[in-house]
Amino acid sequence: MEGSSKSTLRGGREGRSRSYGGHAMISYQWADQKLVLKIKESLRQKGYRIWMDVDHMEGSTLQTMAEAVQNASVVLVCMSERYKLSQNCRSEAEYAFSLEKKIVPLLMQRAYKPDGWLGMIKGTKLFFDFSGKYPFDQKLTDLVKELGEHGKTQQLTDEIDVGYDVMVTIV
């Protein structure tokens, strides 16, 4: 968990800076990397913690991918025909599905209609079309609304009356 941790007067507990349920993981096929990097940077600028393989791959690929899914509060599945054909992409998406993670589908290929295992994962979920059919900024705004606080970094701040005419602020 990223962020600082500060001990303070609070009945023996600590105040912490933490993220809301983990990061947003982007699961994509490398052919879409240029657009995915643009999405990643745009979300980071809006305060989201983004996990993407280009930043975090080390050691065992399968272990790193599994931990990324396990620690995610949301998984962005970047759908395309190449994504569907990739065994690594399938593993990430199916693992997220099996862990009942929030999955947000992003359409990367114009007019692509997911079927088979990818169609099942997409199901009836709302998806966001980043294929170029619509303006990028419009789709990004829609995506941010859907993500809400999932993957967003927040400071927890509490004020507590400790009964000694002293107010303690925990940051």
Side-chain angles (χ1 to χ4, degrees):
M1 184 176 297
E2 289 182 10
S4 63
S5 176
K6 295 181 181 179
S7 294
T8 187
L9 179 61
R10 190 180 180 189
R13 296 188 315 203
E14 296 178 0
R16 292 180 193 213
S17 169
R18 68 175 181 171
S19 66
Y20 181 84
H23 55 253
M25 178 192 176
I26 302 179
S27 177
Y28 72 102
Q29 204 281 329
W30 275 63
D32 295 316
Q33 188 177 60
K34 184 178 178 182
L35 177 56
V36 172
L37 287 169
K38 183 176 179 181
I39 294 168
K40 176 190 89 162
E41 288 309 314
S42 297
L43 290 173
R44 279 196 175 151
Q45 289 174 7
K46 295 189 178 300
Y48 289 91
R49 287 182 59 217
I50 306 298
W51 189 100
M52 192 171 160
D53 61 354
V54 294
D55 299 322
H56 300 286
M57 288 303 280
E58 52 190 51
S60 165
T61 302
L62 281 177
Q63 183 63 34
T64 302
M65 287 169 30
E67 288 172 2
V69 173
Q70 291 164 2
N71 296 321
S73 67
V74 60
V75 177
L76 305 179
V77 171
C78 299
M79 303 180 302
S80 68
E81 189 171 354
R82 288 183 177 177
Y83 185 92
K84 183 185 174 201
L85 297 174
S86 166
Q87 184 57 50
N88 284 343
C89 294
R90 181 175 182 164
S91 296
E92 289 172 358
E94 286 184 346
Y95 192 44
F97 183 81
S98 74
L99 293 177
E100 298 179 358
K101 295 292 181 175
K102 177 178 176 70
I103 295 173
V104 177
L106 308 183
L107 183 64
M108 308 306 283
Q109 179 182 339
R110 193 172 286 201
Y112 177 68
K113 296 191 183 344
D115 60 357
W117 68 267
L118 186 54
M120 281 192 70
I121 286 177
K122 179 195 165 283
T124 59
K125 291 178 178 60
L126 181 64
F127 68 93
F128 300 89
D129 190 338
F130 282 92
S131 70
K133 183 176 180 181
Y134 303 101
F136 178 86
D137 290 339
Q138 175 190 342
K139 291 293 118 187
L140 185 69
T141 298
D142 295 343
L143 175 59
V144 166
K145 285 178 188 171
E146 176 68 17
L147 292 176
E149 298 301 311
H150 289 278
K152 198 154 194 177
T153 301
Q154 291 184 335
Q155 288 279 354
L156 295 184
T157 303
D158 297 311
E159 290 191 348
I160 300 164
D161 183 352
V162 292
Y164 301 107
D165 294 327
V166 175
M167 185 66 74
V168 178
T169 299
I170 301 166
V171 180

